[in-house]
Amino acid sequence: MSTDTDTDTDTGTGSGTGTATDDTGTRTRTGAPRRRRRGAERRPRFAIAVTAVFFALLYLPVGVVVLFSFNSQKSLTVLDGVSLRWYEALLHDEVLLDSLGMSLRVSLVAMAGSLVLGVALALGLVRSRSRLGSFAGLIMLVPLITPEIVTGVAAMLLFKGLGITLSTTTVMLAEITFSISYVTVILRSRIAALNPEVEEAAMDLGATRGQALRLVTLPALLPSILASAVLIFALVFDDFVLAYFTTGVDPQPLSVRIYSAIRFGVQPTINAVGTLMLVGSIGLIVLALAIPRLFGRKGGLDLLSGK
């Protein structure tokens, strides 16, 4: 009399599936069809091609600007040698240097003003338990999704209605108002992640609420505050739409001055300015994303996404 043993062999089918016998003699399926596995492992070639075309259309014009900023001739179509001629010309252009100085002043003031107001607003929104606080939190997201041209026209009409002459001050006020939302959104997620018992423990040890905020809460928020500061500086320095509608005649922010200059033809000096602005903006944004990492905290992209 014979008994069943573990001598069963795998049997295949046309679809690529099979069965096997385990230690108990039970027949089990060995895997998914090969065709399905191969199909799942294939790379989405169409998606890769579309992505490549997208980045090419996005960055090739920028690359052309950078390339021709080192052109030795005053040509915007033919590259004839490499030179720093136009960067030297930029250093002797008083109009562009005045606009650069104004953009730096506006960016610094907007950064400081939006940080002070944004930190206070973020603290209030997180710690507010009323419906009004929740509604205010939703209102803070409106500037982020509103077209900037709408904000620029609204700011211009407001200043005109109040009889305020457009100048450097109006640009600063408009940029501060527009930047508060960014600071609030970044800091609100960080404040919500803080343990409130730490601040309460400081007050139990004799600290006032203001001292607990200054000595405990703000140092914990320092990486996010620094990242927000750098990000706001980069955004305001490159901003054109809001500055265009709220600036006066002279001096003008650098972005507006460049726009005024290219209406009469692009000069090689503009390519040099654009290249320097690009390098500076990239450096500031990278710094904004790296600062929280240096402190062992979440990066700027994680803070924006709330992860």
Side-chain angles (χ1 to χ4, degrees):
M1 186 175 203
S2 61
T3 58
D4 294 339
T5 60
D6 298 339
T7 59
D8 294 339
T9 59
D10 295 347
T11 60
T13 61
S15 61
T17 60
T19 59
T21 305
D22 57 13
D23 295 337
T24 61
T26 304
R27 298 171 69 85
T28 58
R29 299 182 65 85
T30 57
R34 295 180 179 178
R35 292 182 180 178
R36 293 182 181 178
R37 285 184 294 179
R38 290 178 180 178
E41 293 175 357
R42 292 178 181 175
R43 295 182 179 180
R45 297 179 180 179
F46 178 75
I48 294 176
V50 172
T51 304
V53 172
F54 168 76
F55 281 107
L57 294 176
L58 184 64
Y59 291 109
L60 277 180
V62 178
V64 171
V65 171
V66 175
L67 180 62
F68 279 90
S69 68
F70 296 98
N71 194 3
S72 61
Q73 302 297 326
K74 193 179 180 180
S75 175
L76 300 176
T77 57
V78 178
L79 184 63
D80 185 15
V82 178
S83 173
L84 298 177
R85 170 185 177 183
W86 307 114
Y87 291 91
E88 295 177 358
L90 173 62
L91 297 177
H92 297 86
D93 193 330
E94 295 183 359
V95 176
L96 286 177
L97 291 179
D98 291 341
S99 297
L100 175 62
M102 179 186 176
S103 293
L104 292 175
R105 292 194 301 272
V106 171
S107 300
L108 290 173
V109 173
M111 179 185 68
S114 61
L115 281 179
V116 173
L117 298 176
V119 171
L121 184 58
L123 288 169
L125 292 177
V126 173
R127 297 180 178 180
S128 176
R129 302 182 183 274
S130 62
R131 294 181 178 179
L132 182 60
S134 301
F135 179 73
L138 295 176
I139 293 297
M140 288 306 303
L141 299 177
V142 174
L144 301 180
I145 61 177
T146 303
E148 192 175 355
I149 189 172
V150 176
T151 306
V153 172
M156 182 188 66
L157 294 177
L158 176 63
F159 292 137
K160 291 289 187 180
L162 296 177
I164 301 176
T165 304
L166 298 181
S167 61
T168 304
T169 303
T170 56
V171 179
M172 292 178 179
L173 293 175
E175 295 290 356
I176 290 174
T177 305
F178 183 73
S179 303
I180 291 175
S181 298
Y182 290 93
V183 178
T184 303
V185 170
I186 294 175
L187 291 180
R188 187 170 61 178
S189 60
R190 177 57 187 158
I191 295 173
L194 293 179
N195 189 354
E197 296 180 354
V198 177
E199 188 173 342
E200 294 174 359
M203 290 187 289
D204 290 339
L205 293 175
T208 62
R209 183 172 296 274
Q211 291 175 336
L213 176 65
R214 179 171 58 87
L215 300 176
V216 177
T217 304
L218 290 182
L221 296 176
L222 182 60
S224 300
I225 293 175
L226 292 177
S228 301
V230 178
L231 185 61
I232 293 302
F233 184 90
L235 292 175
V236 173
F237 185 81
D238 288 343
D239 183 69
F240 167 75
V241 177
L242 198 58
Y244 178 79
F245 284 101
T246 57
T247 188
V249 178
D250 196 42
Q252 294 178 329
L254 185 58
S255 57
V256 180
R257 179 67 66 183
I258 292 176
Y259 172 75
S260 301
I262 63 176
R263 289 188 301 173
F264 304 99
V266 179
Q267 299 294 325
T269 309
I270 302 300
N271 291 335
V273 174
T275 301
L276 293 177
M277 292 179 64
L278 175 65
V279 173
S281 299
I282 293 175
L284 290 174
I285 293 176
V286 171
L287 181 61
L289 299 178
I291 285 177
R293 300 289 186 183
L294 297 177
F295 286 86
R297 308 289 175 79
K298 291 183 177 182
L301 291 178
D302 296 333
L303 290 171
L304 287 173
S305 61
K307 296 181 180 179

